């Protein structure tokens, strides 16, 4: 970028300054005239400052006066300038030279690198610095930029189209800015977003939750990059994992800084590579530049570079700047980016009101995403580069174009084109953008099925979705079903209508009516597709069905504080079905189709009430809604169902209950423990039919999905009962790379071990259990388990179970 372009940008910013007199601007380069991206510019003795952009340009609004300006970049010698700003804007370039490290005063003891003694001293102070700032507030500016280098024309048979009219391989796919207030009073944190914007989304909310990656913590949690977390180079046990090399010292403001190179002792451990700079005698972090690679057990990214710079403030040191550079290669996509967080306006002794910290940890102001370009020019501390300016201009224009009915019609024509492979496997969604509705049809694979009761089944299930004003987020879903069995000649039409609404907490009401085919376990645990394959090829008809004329109404409402309640009423006029065909493509010797489950025709009126509660739930609060995040506490859920005898001729008469407790426990380096404990039973069972019984999610197919709720080898309905008490236990231990990262060759696959068990006890004395061991993270989406079952009455079975995330039917 030419200097005059930078001056033009700075001039535009100047015209829109709010209460500022002048602007200090310039560019930071190295001694080879290369821009130093994201250099830190600080007014010495304060936390006031800014960051250069990726082209090295910076701007800093200041009042008239004299200033000592310090410019820093990790790996380069800092430079200070004393300047005086009068009436005019001040432009200045900084040239930084690579840091020279002094090795003259190094003392080698017993052949050990001096870095180890420095690291031991730093580890000894780690806990103190981790808890040094437990009460502060700061203003933070966040800018996220993610760009493509390359991408394929098709992925898994689907055409890749960004719908922006740009066929260039290099494009910006995400750009956002946020200004927020970050408040901390350990263990509580709260982020109040003042302003935010997303390129091309005038009603969007950007990357707005600052995360200070504290290397004073033993374990660094980096979202989904590794479920075990990463070991800090100054963790209490870091000497067991890292090698250290002393590279010299340099001086800054009278302090001696030690530069230490860190590297893993072993590959395929969750460890960092790079440099960390430690202040002599204080033994605290001055700055760092650390990287992660695939060989460091990183998931979903190829490389990640973290840069941090701390500055002194009132006897403490605070983080001034944190920049993260991710790089990703996946399914032909190549992308890279930068996410910069710039902290300013620190208050190290803030006063918070009694109820300031509550369940909301991220809060967006009402007009936070409605700020004008002039506003952003006045508050943006990191100047935009040309690519960012063009992206805002292009996508903002495209967003306006998208509101034109003619453009929306052309977009619909492209989206609504039918491709056979898509229709065969995924179904098709047809959109009408200007009217804000979609119509989806099920795939051809799901359109036709086969079972021994109905024979060949044709089931047409289109779905109509209509959305209203995005501020209200109201949504109407209409899902009719037309089902016909060619063998028994039964036609079962029904319709589901659902309305979702609510501004702060979500609510929904749904009504289903008509004639419908039900599985005896109304949760429908058996996939019709899987049953079709097993029936036609292996003479295995696991699916058991009945028909009912039905009317069902359900209502759910979020109440806040992690609480959701629901209630429902259901009426069924139930009729049994018999097998009407024994057709199969291939008959297996010794195998015969099993008869369908039978019962006396009857009517059932059933009322249900329930709740779900997760204590300690935290929320993101948007101007129009709240979204609950995961809590560190378990989930409690319960329900009560009552079969109402005599109502509308109802024959049933029973009451039953169910209670569950589930939780994920992050054991960090040791992996993750998950459990689901369930208890239930009948208070009264004067008149209950098989479909009213306690059912357990069984499975007899090789392919499965719901591991933490089901039994992988249990035959369907064999343990269904109306007992007073039963108990289930489902436990999984995911090692998440622990142990497998130590097996030669195998560790390169990045597959993870897991183990666990499922157990059922019924108060009649019946018990059933399963133990399993498996591998997951196979190609990121696959899992395979070996399962062994045990029964209280003797006998055992074993089997292999597979699953593929989001694909398994």
């Amino acid at each position: 970028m030419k200097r005059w372009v930078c001056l033009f940008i700075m001039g535009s910013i100047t015209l829109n300054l709010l209460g500022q007199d002048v602007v200090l601007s310039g560019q930071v380069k190295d001694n080879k005239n290369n821009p130093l991206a994201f250099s830190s510019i600080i007014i010495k003795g304060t936390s006031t400052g800014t960051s250069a952009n990726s082209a090295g340009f910076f701007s800093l609004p200041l009042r008239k006066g004299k200033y000592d300006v310090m410019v820093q970049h990790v790996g380069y010698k800092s430079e200070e300038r004393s300047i005086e700003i009068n009436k005019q804007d001040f432009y200045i370039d900084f040239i930084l030279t690579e840091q020279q490290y002094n090795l003259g005063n190094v003392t080698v003891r017993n052949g050990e690198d001096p870095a180890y003694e420095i690291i031991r001293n730093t580890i000894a102070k780690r806990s103190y610095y981790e808890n040094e700032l437990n009460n502060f507030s700061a203003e933070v500016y966040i800018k996220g930029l993610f760009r493509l280098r390359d991408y394929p024309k098709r992925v898994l048979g689907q055409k890749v189209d960004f719908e922006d009219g740009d066929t260039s391989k290099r494009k910006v796919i995400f750009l956002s800015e946020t200004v927020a207030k970050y408040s901390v009073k350990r263990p509580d944190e709260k982020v109040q977003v003042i302003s935010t914007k997303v390129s091309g989304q005038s009603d969007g909310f950007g990357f707005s939750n600052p995360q200070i990656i504290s290397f004073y913590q033993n374990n660094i949690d980096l979202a989904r990059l590794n479920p075990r977390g990463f070991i800090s180079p100054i963790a209490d046990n870091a000497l067991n994992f890292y090698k250290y090399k002393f590279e010299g010292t340099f001086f800054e403001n009278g302090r001696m800084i030690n530069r230490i190179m860190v590297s893993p002792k072993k590959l395929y451990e969750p460890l960092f590579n790079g440099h960390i700079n430690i202040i002599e005698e204080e033994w605290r972090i001055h700055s760092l530049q650390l990287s992660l690679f695939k060989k460091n057990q990183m998931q979903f990214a190829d490389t990640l570079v973290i840069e941090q710079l701390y500055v002194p403030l009132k006897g403490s040191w605070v983080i001034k700047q944190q920049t993260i550079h991710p790089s990703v290669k996946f399914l032909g996509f190549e992308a890279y980016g930068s996410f910069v967080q710039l902290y300013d306006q620190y208050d190290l002794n803030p006063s918070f009101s009694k109820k300031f910290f509550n369940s909301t940890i991220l809060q967006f102001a009402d007009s936070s995403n409605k700020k004008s370009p002039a506003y952003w020019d006045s508050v943006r501390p990191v100047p935009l580069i040309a690519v960012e300016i063009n992206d805002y201009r292009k996508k903002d224009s495209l967003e306006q174009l998208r509101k034109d009915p003619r453009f929306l019609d052309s977009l619909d024509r492209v989206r609504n084109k039918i491709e056979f492979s898509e229709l065969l496997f995924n179904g098709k969604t047809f959109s009408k953008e200007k009217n804000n509705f979609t119509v989806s049809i099920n795939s051809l694979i799901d359109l036709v099925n086969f079972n021994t009761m109905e024979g060949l089944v044709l089931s047409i299930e289109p779905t109509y979705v209509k959305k209203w004003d995005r501020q209200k987020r109201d949504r109407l879903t209409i899902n009719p079903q037309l089902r016909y069995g060619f063998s028994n000649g039964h036609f079962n039409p029904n319709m589901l209508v659902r309305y979702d609404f609510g501004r702060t907490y979500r609510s929904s009401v749904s009504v289903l009516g008509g004639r419908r085919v039900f599985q005896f376990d109304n949760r429908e645990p058996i996939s019709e597709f899987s049953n079709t394959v097993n029936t036609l090829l292996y003479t295995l008809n696991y699916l058991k069905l009945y028909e009912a004329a039905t009317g069902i109404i359900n209502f759910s409402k979020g109440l806040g504080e992690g609480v959701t309640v629901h209630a429902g009423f259901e009426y069924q006029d139930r009729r049994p079905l018999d097998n009407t065909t024994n057709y199969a493509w291939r008959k297996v010797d010794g195998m015969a189709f099993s008869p369908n489950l039978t019962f006396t025709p009857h009517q059932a009126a059933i009322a249900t009430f329930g709740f779900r509660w997760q204590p300690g739930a935290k929320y993101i609060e948007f101007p129009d809604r709240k979204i609950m995040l995961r809590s560190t506490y378990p989930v409690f859920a319960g329900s009560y169902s009552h079969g109402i005898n005599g109502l509308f001729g109802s024959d049933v008469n029973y009451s039953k209950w169910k209670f569950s407790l589930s939780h994920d426990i992050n054991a960090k380096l040791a992996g993750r423990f998950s459990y689901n404990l369930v208890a239930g039973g009948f208070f009264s069972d004067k008149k209950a039919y098989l479909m009213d019984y306690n059912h357990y999610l069984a499975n007899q197919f090789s392919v499965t999905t719901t591991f933490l709720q089901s039994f992988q080898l249990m035959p369907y309905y064999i343990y269904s009962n109306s007992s007073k008490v039963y108990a289930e236990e489902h436990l999984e231990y995911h090692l998440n790379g622990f142990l497998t990262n130590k097996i030669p060759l195998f560790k390169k696959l990045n597959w993870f071990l897991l183990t666990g068990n499922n157990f059922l006890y019924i108060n009649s004395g019946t018990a059933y259990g399963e133990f399993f061991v498996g591998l997951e993270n196979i190609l990121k989406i696959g899992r395979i388990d070996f399962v062994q079952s045990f029964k209280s009455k003797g006998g055992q079975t074993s089997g292999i179970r597979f699953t593929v995330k989001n694909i398994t039917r």
Side-chain angles (χ1 to χ4, degrees), residues 711-746:
F711 297 88
Q712 297 308 313
L713 298 179
M714 179 186 285
Y716 297 107
Y717 302 112
I718 192 171
Y719 291 104
S720 297
N721 63 80
S722 58
S723 297
K724 291 186 179 300
V725 177
Y726 73 88
E728 291 181 67
E729 176 251 9
H730 304 275
L731 174 67
E732 289 185 345
Y733 172 32
H734 302 260
L735 278 72
N736 291 338
F738 182 57
L739 296 184
T740 51
N741 65 342
K742 297 173 176 62
I743 303 174
L745 299 179
F746 186 84

Side-chain angles (χ1 to χ4, degrees), residues 9 16 303 403-404 435 518 544-545 553 564 589 610 671 726:
I9 297 171
N16 294 283
T303 62
K403 298 177 182 179
D404 188 318
N435 298 115
F518 292 91
K544 305 302 176 187
L545 304 173
I553 182 168
T564 300
D589 293 340
Y726 73 88

Side-chain angles (χ1 to χ4, degrees), residues 17 19-24 60-67 83-90:
L17 288 175
Q20 303 292 346
D21 294 321
V22 289
V23 172
L24 171 67
L60 179 62
L62 294 169
R63 296 192 180 278
K64 294 181 291 184
K66 296 180 180 181
Y67 298 96
I83 63 172
E84 182 175 359
I85 303 178
N86 295 315
K87 295 182 179 181
Q88 297 181 345
D89 295 344
F90 198 98

Side-chain angles (χ1 to χ4, degrees), residues 145-152 160-162 164 166-175 326-338 387 391 395:
L145 174 67
F146 211 57
R147 306 170 68 179
L148 280 173
R149 285 194 182 97
D150 195 10
Y151 64 91
V160 178
D161 186 359
F162 290 91
D164 58 2
D166 182 6
T167 58
S168 169
K169 294 286 186 178
R170 296 177 177 269
K171 62 176 66 191
V172 175
I173 56 176
F174 176 78
L175 171 61
S327 178
V328 178
K329 291 182 181 179
F330 186 67
L331 294 176
F333 289 88
E334 294 186 26
Y336 66 102
S338 61
V387 168
D391 190 70
K395 289 182 179 175

Side-chain angles (χ1 to χ4, degrees), residues 469-703:
D469 179 53
R470 294 192 63 171
Q471 294 299 316
K472 295 181 179 179
R473 300 185 306 130
D474 292 353
R475 173 182 296 195
L476 175 68
T477 302
I478 301 176
N479 180 207
Q481 182 192 56
L482 303 174
R483 183 184 180 104
Y484 182 75
F486 284 88
S487 180
N488 67 358
H490 291 197
F491 178 54
N492 287 287
N494 59 82
M495 180 179 292
L496 171 68
V497 179
R498 176 182 171 121
Y499 182 52
D500 295 283
F501 60 98
R503 293 180 64 85
T504 303
Y505 302 108
R506 298 296 287 162
S507 300
S508 70
V509 59
S510 63
V511 178
L512 185 148
R515 293 195 58 83
R516 191 175 180 91
V517 175
F518 292 91
Q519 296 186 34
F520 279 82
D521 183 348
N522 286 183
R523 294 173 297 179
E524 300 187 344
I526 302 176
S527 160
E528 290 201 66
F529 175 80
S530 297
N531 184 77
T532 297
V533 173
N534 279 270
T535 298
L536 294 175
L537 293 181
Y538 307 111
T539 326
L540 296 171
N541 58 325
Y542 296 127
L543 192 68
K544 305 302 176 187
L545 304 173
Y546 70 93
E547 286 180 348
T550 186
I552 303 173
I553 182 168
N554 287 303
F555 173 77
S556 69
K557 182 175 180 58
L559 301 179
E561 303 305 323
V563 178
T564 300
V565 296
H566 61 87
F569 176 80
E570 176 179 5
Y571 179 84
Q572 290 187 9
D573 183 2
R574 299 164 171 170
R575 295 292 180 266
L577 291 173
D578 295 320
N579 285 349
T580 60
T581 179
N582 62 356
Y583 175 79
W585 289 341
R586 183 171 68 92
K587 295 291 181 70
V588 178
D589 293 340
M591 298 290 291
F593 289 123
S594 60
N596 193 25
L597 304 175
T598 188
F599 59 91
T600 303
H602 64 277
Q603 291 78 43
I606 305 164
T608 302
F609 307 91
F611 73 94
R612 182 186 187 276
W613 175 44
Q614 187 168 25
K618 301 298 182 182
Y619 289 85
I620 297 176
E621 184 177 329
F622 295 94
D624 63 321
R625 65 193 186 278
K626 279 189 175 183
I627 296 177
M628 190 176 80
L629 304 175
R630 298 184 67 177
S631 168
T632 57
Y633 292 90
V635 175
F636 299 85
S639 65
Y640 171 80
S641 298
H642 187 76
I644 309 172
N645 185 253
L647 181 64
F648 305 128
S650 173
D651 299 301
V652 299
N653 187 359
Y654 68 86
S655 59
K656 65 178 182 177
W657 62 279
K658 182 177 180 180
F659 180 81
S660 68
L661 174 67
S662 59
H663 193 28
D664 278 338
I665 301 173
N666 184 0
K668 298 183 179 179
L669 291 180
R672 174 172 58 89
F673 293 90
S674 302
Y675 65 82
N676 181 28
L677 307 178
V678 183
F682 277 75
F683 290 122
S684 168
D685 64 343
K686 293 180 181 179
K687 196 65 177 293
Y689 294 83
L690 179 57
M691 53 283 286
D692 303 312
Y693 281 13
N694 301 314
H695 296 293
Y696 312 102
L697 289 176
N699 178 54
Q700 292 179 260
F701 297 118
S702 297
V703 178

Side-chain angles (χ1 to χ4, degrees), residues 79-303:
E79 182 179 350
E80 290 186 28
R81 298 272 189 93
S82 295
I83 63 172
E84 182 175 359
I85 303 178
N86 295 315
K87 295 182 179 181
Q88 297 181 345
D89 295 344
F90 198 98
Y91 185 95
I92 185 172
D93 285 336
F94 288 87
I95 307 296
L96 304 187
T97 58
E98 290 189 28
Q99 186 67 260
Q100 301 298 312
Y101 303 103
N102 180 16
L103 292 170
N105 297 322
V106 174
T107 301
V108 178
R109 298 174 182 172
N110 301 321
E112 181 183 71
D113 192 293
Y116 286 87
E117 184 63 25
I118 296 170
I119 291 298
R120 288 191 190 95
N121 290 330
T122 305
I123 291 173
K125 296 282 286 186
R126 180 201 65 79
S127 179
Y128 172 79
Y129 291 133
E130 180 184 9
N131 299 292
E132 182 182 26
L133 292 179
N134 284 331
N135 186 30
F136 70 91
S137 66
E139 186 176 284
V140 57
Y141 167 80
I142 308 169
K143 180 167 72 172
L145 174 67
F146 211 57
R147 306 170 68 179
L148 280 173
R149 285 194 182 97
D150 195 10
Y151 64 91
K153 292 182 179 180
R154 306 183 77 87
V155 173
L156 300 177
Q158 302 298 309
K159 184 179 179 181
V160 178
D161 186 359
F162 290 91
E163 298 180 344
D164 58 2
D166 182 6
T167 58
S168 169
K169 294 286 186 178
R170 296 177 177 269
K171 62 176 66 191
V172 175
I173 56 176
F174 176 78
L175 171 61
S176 81
E177 296 177 275
T178 295
V179 175
K181 184 178 181 181
Y182 180 43
S183 301
V184 176
K185 188 175 184 179
R186 305 293 182 198
D188 296 312
E189 296 184 1
K190 189 170 188 175
V191 177
Q192 297 166 294
V193 176
I194 301 166
S195 53
T196 183
K197 67 181 300 186
V198 182
S199 181
Q201 300 179 38
S202 59
D203 57 355
F205 296 91
F207 182 79
S208 303
N209 193 13
Q211 179 189 11
I212 298 177
I213 301 173
S214 175
F215 285 86
Y216 292 117
Q217 295 178 342
N218 285 318
N219 189 278
I220 310 299
D221 182 12
L222 294 178
R224 295 178 59 86
L225 293 181
N226 185 338
R228 298 173 65 201
F230 297 89
I231 301 172
S232 169
I234 58 170
D236 290 341
N237 60 346
L239 292 170
N240 297 326
F241 295 94
Y242 284 99
K243 295 183 293 186
Y244 302 92
K245 182 180 179 182
F246 180 74
E247 293 194 341
T249 63
F250 64 94
F251 286 85
E252 185 176 278
N253 297 323
R255 292 181 174 89
M256 187 170 78
I257 317 295
N258 300 287
R259 181 171 173 83
I260 309 295
M261 183 175 73
V262 301
S263 58
K265 285 185 175 180
K266 294 181 180 180
L267 298 180
Y268 302 100
E269 295 278 5
L271 303 170
F272 293 92
N273 313 258
H275 293 86
I276 183 167
N277 298 322
I278 305 295
I279 303 174
E280 180 74 14
E281 295 185 350
E282 296 183 44
W283 313 119
R284 66 161 80 236
I285 298 172
H286 169 273
S287 55
L288 59 82
Q289 186 178 62
L290 296 172
S291 302
L292 293 169
F293 306 101
K294 285 286 188 182
K295 61 185 178 182
N296 304 124
Q297 281 205 317
M298 188 167 61
Q299 305 289 308
F300 306 108
D302 286 85
T303 62

